[in-house]
């Protein structure tokens, strides 16, 4: 059985008070979920949230530099995240690629550093409008270049078509399911059937409490990376109730 996830990517949203309050409210409901539930706040909130977060929530960074320390103004290294007890990170989100020119070569270095340090990583991939799905194979091949099979156990993939992120246009359950199946085939080509069958592949892009159920029933979809709809505790709890 593949692990299922519901992860809120808060991007550059929330002040500290709201972020802490969200976590407190989430933890007040003592439900047992069948999926792993996580949040990815901004860096500067991680330490405070780490103090109050319980085992019921995974804490993710939104990015991690692959260089342990040095002169890289404005970045946070994977070792600094681990130092404050944050062992999960999103890597290669399309907004990092788009606004900060992050290439698959850089993503590859980040993945390697984090996975080697036993961090759990959510690698985001997705095609632009009109781009062939086969682009995902090229991107995966570059992002995972020389990353050994033994490191893949801590890797989760999030399939997020660029045209669906923040647009309100979700991929249909059938399309999301079919594309994730294809991604699994690419992973099979890069590694083997065992890796392909066991890796969790999430869908992301305008998921909310109204559409999550229809997507969730698709057999290839192992969970969700949710942006906008994860910001309100009420919506997040509803998604957790419906899905997790
Ligand atoms: P969205 O963002 O849910 O707001 O579309 C998803 C993401 O960027 O991870």
């Amino acid at each position: 059985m593949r692990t299922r996830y519901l992860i809120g990517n808060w991007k550059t949203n929330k002040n500290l008070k709201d972020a802490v309050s969200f976590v407190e409210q989430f933890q007040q409901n003592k439900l047992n979920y069948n999926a792993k539930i996580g949040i990815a706040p901004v860096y500067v909130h991680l330490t405070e949230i780490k103090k109050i977060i319980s085992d019921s929530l995974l804490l993710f960074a939104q990015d991690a530099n692959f260089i342990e320390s040095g002169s890289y103004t404005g970045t946070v290294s994977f070792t600094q995240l681990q130092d404050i007890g944050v062992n999960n990170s999103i890597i290669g989100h399309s907004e990092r690629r788009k606004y900060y020119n992050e290439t698959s070569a850089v993503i590859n270095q980040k993945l390697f550093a984090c996975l080697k340090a036993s961090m759990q990583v959510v690698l985001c991939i997705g095609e632009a409008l009109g781009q062939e799905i086969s682009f995902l194979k090229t991107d995966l091949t570059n992002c995972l270049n020389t990353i050994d099979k033994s490191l893949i156990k801590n890797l989760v993939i999030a399939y997020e078509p660029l045209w669906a992120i923040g647009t309100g246009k979700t991929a249909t359950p059938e399309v999301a399911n079919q594309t994730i199946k294809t991604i699994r085939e690419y992973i099979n080509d890069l590694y083997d059937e065992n890796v392909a069958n066991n890796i969790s592949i999430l869908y992301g892009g305008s998921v909310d409490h109204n559409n999550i159920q229809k997507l969730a029933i698709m057999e290839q979809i192992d969970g969700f990376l949710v942006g906008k709809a994860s910001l309100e505790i009420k919506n997040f709890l509803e998604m957790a109730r419906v899905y997790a």
Side-chain angles (χ1 to χ4, degrees), residues 3-7 33-38 56 58 120 244:
T3 309
R4 295 156 71 244
Y5 293 86
L6 173 66
I7 303 168
Y33 295 112
N34 291 320
K36 290 193 177 179
I37 304 192
S56 63
L58 291 173
Q120 177 162 60

Side-chain angles (χ1 to χ4, degrees), residues 112-133:
F112 182 72
C114 291
L115 292 172
K116 199 155 176 280
S118 299
M119 281 180 77
Q120 177 162 60
V121 176
V122 176
L123 164 65
C124 302
I125 60 169
E127 83 288 0
L129 193 63
Q131 199 168 25
E132 298 282 331
I133 292 297

Side-chain angles (χ1 to χ4, degrees), residues 9 11 93-95 160 164-167 204-207 225-229:
N9 174 12
K11 309 188 179 183
H93 190 278
S94 68
E95 285 149 17
E160 302 201 298
I165 296 179
T167 59
S206 298
V207 174
L225 183 59
V226 185
K228 198 160 176 239

